[in-house]
Amino acid sequence: MSSSNGDITVKYPGGKSEKVSPGITVAELAAQISPNFLNQLIAAKVDGKPVDLAYKLARDVDVEFLKPDSEDGHEILLHSTAHLMAQAVKRLYPNTQVTIGPAIENGFYYDFDRDEPFTDDDLAAIEAEMQKIVEENIPVQRQEIPRNDAIELFRSMGENYKVEIISEIDEKETISAYRQGEFIDLCRGPHLPATGKAGAFKLLSVAGAYWRGDERNKMLSRIYGTAFPTKKELKKYLNMLEEAKRRDHRKLGKELDLFSFHDEAPANAFFHPKGTTVYNLIMDTVAQSNLRYGYQEVNTPLIMNVSLWHQSGHYDNYRENMYFTKVDDKDFAVKPMNCPGHLLIFKSTPRSYRDLPVRMSEFGRVHRHERSGVTHGLFRVRTFVQDDAHIFCTEDDIQKEVGLVLDQIFEIYRTFGFDNVHVELSTRPEKSIGSAEVWEKSEAALEAVLKDKAIEYKLNPGDGAFYGPKIDFHILDSLGRSWQCGTAQLDFSMPEQLGISYTGEDGQDHTPVMIHRAVVGSLERFMGILIEHYAASFPLWLAPIQVKLLPIADRHFDYTDQIASRLLKAGFRVEVNRKNEKIGQKVRQAELEKVPVMLIVGDKEIENQQVSVRRHKQGDAGAMSLDELLEQLLNEIREKAH
RNA sequence: GCCACCCUAGCUCAGCUGGUAGAGCAAUGCUUUCGUAAAGCAUAGGUCGUCGGUUCGAGUCCGACGGGUGGCUCCA
């Protein structure tokens, strides 16, 4: 589509355009602006498609130049660094087969097939070899190869995985490979123009991974790494990883005596007194809120006859994750979810439309047998308590009820210091039950709620549960990590399955809609998230020990005890440090324990009938009377200040 | 479940190529009674995850089991 004089038109994102001769490469185009500009580029997008700098323009196109600090550019940088690593691996370990090596969020990986899997100790050598290849500054060249030639090429190199991949590529697609020196890899591209363009990189870990993620396939050896345009950015990322490690709830949980794990009950948390305090505070916060939002709390058995689980469908769909037991020769199951129990309660009495909506909540302990390799601290355990609830209502109530659920969820997240929440709406999956009409209606209802409340959300088409669409809530913690916690799911299936009904205005029986909802989800997991979010420096209202009293010398014990007992009576969680230590050491201990308020008591305080206040991480806050302090602290707690 | 790595005192960790355990912190005792992130001295504490094997001899080598850590969707 070139113009009459043979030139083609190139349009840039800013709206500017120019005419150039066909056949010009992206690099040449950039060089016209300035050689220095070209030097900053690593690739480009032509008509929205990422291409190499060597890409030749043949017709009128939109061109966007890519630097490595853009999102698309960074992805290319990561991908090229993966190739760089593969080249280094092939140099060091020639009888290794390469498989795939994509860019991922925050990094890249490459899977290798090798008799001897890689260990952490190999990483340094591979990194050094990568650095050498960067210094060699080898040009990276794209080659388009006819299908059969490509198969022949990779077969002759003994790269059987590549051959397998090629044979699965769509007939219509062009097959391309990228060569850098002696290394050639099947790849769609684009890539950096030369290895010298690689930024700062680091190899992070090795892991096993199945070929194509399928556990029936061979286990390959995967190396993870990351790369950034500059050393500074790499360092920033590595610091963030260090910070995450420092905040790891498993580490802090042990250090601060919150909980422990034992071989006698793998992947099940034992909460110590301090951990139990935080755990109960989370539960109380939700329970209080539930009351305000019109929920009625219930309590259902842990173990129920297996027939119930046949009825609910859990036996067929969830059996692998359930615990079973035999009592009096009858088969029972330990509940993995609370819904069937709630349905039994609903069913236990005749219900009228006047009773709806029924909002039934339970802090229900569930047991799920997670596979041994997937458990992780408090984040993934085999028994946990859900702040579960089920709302039974009519189809017309859906919008209003879901609206209330949303309000409550946002309110509670704010209380815990999470202001940044992502919302996702998932719609009908391919495998689903229920009529198209009901699905449309309920999806529309959920969407209407979100629009009505002007909540931004991401749509996940086809990601809903088989029984209904859902809204998921992800909170962002202080390190910017995202955690899925709350959920609101519509369910048209289970009420019918268990035969629950209410009498309508028309005197007929109707099946109510059920909304499953959880705010914090798993209390265990939420506590883990909270620990990492606050780095265990909990706000006053959540801290397991709120006030630590630090007498200067033994003769101050009596006055200290008086203060302590007054604080206890006012409802505070208090400890006194009676060790034979200097005040500096007592302060240090209290700081390490992350106690929000330290009270130093000595001769001066006794004489003035005061306490000297020190706040965690802030330092000396001066002396004041106990009454003054109490007012301050009680106020802070009432507001649940962060 | 699968792959790699790890398991030594309450905690964090030393212990080289096998010769039968060590530090710091914590704990306890004594001295000290001290003003906002570590006082001094002393004492006690481990069948080196469990079981089996190799060896004259195993924390150390081999195997099984238990527990843990990082991974196992992100498709050349």
Side-chain angles (χ1 to χ4, degrees):
Chain A
M1 228 130 342
S2 47
S3 53
S4 53
N5 64 359
D7 283 354
I8 58 171
T9 306
V10 173
K11 267 179 28 192
Y12 298 108
K16 274 177 36 183
S17 66
E18 64 174 319
K19 294 213 179 288
V20 295
S21 319
I24 190 172
T25 66
V26 175
E28 287 160 354
L29 200 60
Q32 288 179 3
I33 296 169
S34 88
N36 187 36
F37 178 64
L38 170 61
N39 204 29
Q40 293 173 35
L41 302 181
I42 59 164
K45 271 168 111 173
V46 169
D47 289 337
K49 214 185 90 201
V51 298
D52 298 302
L53 288 177
Y55 184 82
K56 285 192 172 74
L57 302 176
R59 54 193 172 83
D60 294 352
V61 284
D62 292 334
V63 171
E64 184 187 345
F65 296 115
L66 292 179
K67 294 183 184 178
D69 53 6
S70 67
E71 200 175 312
D72 291 317
H74 190 207
E75 197 180 320
I76 293 163
L77 178 71
L78 288 168
H79 193 182
S80 292
T81 313
H83 274 223
L84 187 63
M85 177 171 80
Q87 182 175 15
V89 164
K90 290 288 283 189
R91 279 189 182 182
L92 295 172
Y93 316 96
N95 48 4
T96 301
Q97 283 195 64
V98 295
T99 69
I100 59 165
I104 54 174
E105 205 186 334
N106 295 326
F108 62 85
Y109 67 79
Y110 212 116
D111 286 347
F112 302 98
D113 186 4
R114 184 169 179 245
D115 294 340
E116 196 72 1
F118 292 108
T119 68
D120 290 330
D121 301 332
D122 299 324
L123 297 184
I126 297 170
E127 237 174 61
E129 189 62 36
M130 288 167 72
Q131 204 57 55
K132 259 171 72 183
I133 298 170
V134 171
E135 280 153 27
E136 289 167 27
N137 196 16
I138 307 169
V140 179
Q141 285 160 327
R142 179 185 173 92
Q143 299 173 352
E144 299 194 349
I145 313 176
R147 188 186 194 81
N148 288 334
D149 292 0
I151 291 179
E152 203 36 57
L153 174 66
F154 285 102
R155 179 168 292 143
S156 72
M157 297 193 310
E159 298 287 4
N160 302 325
Y161 292 90
K162 296 292 182 186
V163 174
E164 184 182 330
I165 293 163
I166 297 168
S167 57
E168 285 172 21
I169 294 177
D170 196 283
E171 296 278 348
K172 282 172 290 195
E173 258 192 83
T174 317
I175 290 172
S176 59
Y178 279 76
R179 177 183 286 284
Q180 49 198 68
E182 81 288 353
F183 178 71
I184 183 159
D185 196 1
L186 180 72
C187 188
R188 184 184 297 144
H191 279 287
L192 304 179
T195 57
K197 285 273 189 176
F201 52 82
K202 173 129 185 96
L203 302 186
L204 297 171
S205 60
V206 295
Y210 299 102
W211 169 235
R212 311 213 134 153
D214 188 331
E215 54 191 88
R216 286 165 304 196
N217 289 339
K218 185 166 184 194
M219 174 70 72
L220 305 171
S221 184
R222 172 175 296 183
I223 302 178
Y224 281 96
T226 193
F228 288 89
T230 62
K231 279 208 175 93
K232 200 175 154 193
E233 287 158 287
L234 174 65
K235 202 171 165 204
K236 197 175 141 204
Y237 178 73
L238 295 177
N239 282 343
M240 198 277 284
L241 289 185
E242 284 300 309
E243 179 63 17
K245 217 183 254 177
R246 210 176 62 73
R247 288 168 178 252
D248 191 314
H249 72 278
R250 293 165 302 184
K251 181 171 171 279
L252 291 172
K254 193 190 272 183
E255 277 173 16
L256 300 180
D257 198 20
L258 300 174
F259 55 84
S260 57
F261 286 90
H262 301 274
D263 291 0
E264 287 78 356
N268 294 101
F270 291 68
F271 287 100
H272 298 13
K274 287 178 186 172
T276 304
T277 301
V278 178
Y279 191 92
N280 286 341
L281 284 163
I282 296 169
M283 192 150 55
D284 288 348
T285 304
V286 179
Q288 295 295 325
S289 170
N290 280 345
L291 278 176
R292 290 197 298 277
Y293 277 88
Y295 286 84
Q296 297 172 302
E297 192 165 331
V298 300
N299 209 317
T300 64
L302 225 54
I303 297 175
M304 292 177 268
N305 195 294
V306 81
S307 64
L308 177 67
W309 305 102
H310 276 116
Q311 253 188 92
S312 67
H314 284 92
Y315 189 87
D316 291 332
N317 296 310
Y318 205 70
R319 190 181 7 175
E320 298 299 307
N321 289 303
M322 290 170 67
Y323 292 94
F324 295 96
T325 181
K326 229 180 186 43
V327 184
D328 292 341
D329 232 21
K330 293 191 181 80
D331 290 316
F332 287 81
V334 184
K335 69 174 172 183
M337 293 184 198
N338 301 303
C339 12
H342 291 188
L343 286 156
L344 290 181
I345 293 179
F346 188 91
K347 218 173 162 178
S348 66
T349 178
R351 304 281 179 173
S352 145
Y353 71 96
R354 295 172 195 277
D355 301 329
L356 299 188
V358 170
R359 307 187 189 94
M360 208 181 279
S361 69
E362 175 173 9
F363 293 95
R365 176 165 296 278
V366 295
H367 288 72
R368 298 179 182 177
H369 185 265
E370 303 286 355
R371 306 207 288 172
S372 64
V374 306
T375 58
H376 179 102
L378 293 178
F379 288 163
R380 194 88 179 259
V381 284
R382 291 195 174 126
T383 179
F384 56 96
V385 171
Q386 283 182 306
D387 66 330
D388 209 355
H390 296 94
I391 300 162
F392 302 92
C393 64
T394 68
E395 282 178 34
D396 297 333
D397 290 335
I398 290 176
Q399 193 170 329
K400 183 179 143 251
E401 287 304 314
V402 173
L404 286 168
V405 170
L406 260 64
D407 290 346
Q408 188 187 18
I409 285 178
F410 281 107
E411 196 177 299
I412 290 177
Y413 288 174
R414 264 195 302 279
T415 306
F416 286 106
F418 299 110
D419 298 317
N420 211 335
V421 183
H422 278 188
V423 177
E424 297 188 5
L425 171 63
S426 299
T427 58
R428 182 171 199 169
E430 285 196 15
K431 255 184 72 182
S432 61
I433 53 169
S435 72
E437 188 196 345
V438 173
W439 270 90
E440 274 163 34
K441 197 169 166 183
S442 48
E443 285 171 10
L446 293 187
E447 234 176 312
V449 182
L450 293 169
K451 293 232 162 86
D452 187 47
K453 296 192 176 291
I455 294 167
E456 269 183 54
Y457 64 93
K458 187 180 147 214
L459 189 65
N460 287 332
D463 239 15
F466 70 92
Y467 47 75
K470 59 174 183 172
I471 300 177
D472 289 322
F473 301 82
H474 302 248
I475 55 181
L476 285 187
D477 74 6
S478 53
L479 292 187
R481 297 172 300 180
S482 166
W483 307 95
Q484 215 238 94
C485 293
T487 185
Q489 308 184 356
L490 297 188
D491 187 346
F492 307 107
S493 157
M494 222 183 284
E496 200 154 339
Q497 209 113 7
L498 274 107
I500 65 163
S501 63
Y502 65 92
T503 309
E505 236 172 319
D506 55 5
Q508 304 291 311
D509 278 355
H510 298 271
T511 307
V513 177
M514 178 157 90
I515 303 170
H516 306 249
R517 73 102 251 224
V519 179
V520 303
S522 148
L523 286 177
E524 278 67 4
R525 204 173 97 96
F526 192 75
M527 177 157 157
I529 295 166
L530 269 184
I531 291 170
E532 304 206 355
H533 177 61
Y534 285 119
S537 289
F538 293 110
L540 188 62
W541 72 277
L542 261 178
I545 299 298
Q546 296 171 305
V547 183
K548 190 111 181 180
L549 291 149
L550 313 177
I552 300 268
D554 294 6
R555 66 175 178 282
H556 308 124
F557 280 0
D558 280 349
Y559 182 70
T560 308
D561 286 344
Q562 285 172 37
I563 304 275
S565 84
R566 279 187 62 190
L567 283 162
L568 277 170
K569 275 183 194 139
F572 285 91
R573 302 183 285 276
V574 179
E575 269 182 4
V576 180
N577 185 343
R578 295 165 166 280
K579 281 182 201 155
N580 181 2
E581 290 290 354
K582 301 213 280 198
I583 194 65
Q585 166 71 332
K586 291 185 183 180
V587 166
R588 177 180 153 78
Q589 282 312 321
E591 286 286 352
L592 290 175
E593 286 165 28
K594 300 170 190 284
V595 179
V597 180
M598 288 152 270
L599 298 182
I600 291 144
V601 178
D603 294 333
K604 272 193 310 204
E605 287 73 19
I606 294 175
E607 192 182 330
N608 302 327
Q609 288 295 294
Q610 286 186 322
V611 289
S612 283
V613 183
R614 181 189 165 102
R615 297 297 303 244
H616 175 53
K617 281 180 166 168
Q618 292 166 26
D620 200 335
M624 61 186 77
S625 73
L626 186 59
D627 287 333
E628 199 180 335
L629 176 74
L630 278 175
E631 197 194 320
Q632 260 184 37
L633 297 185
L634 286 170
N635 198 37
E636 196 172 324
I637 287 170
R638 202 176 309 116
E639 289 173 5
K640 292 191 161 65
H642 299 148

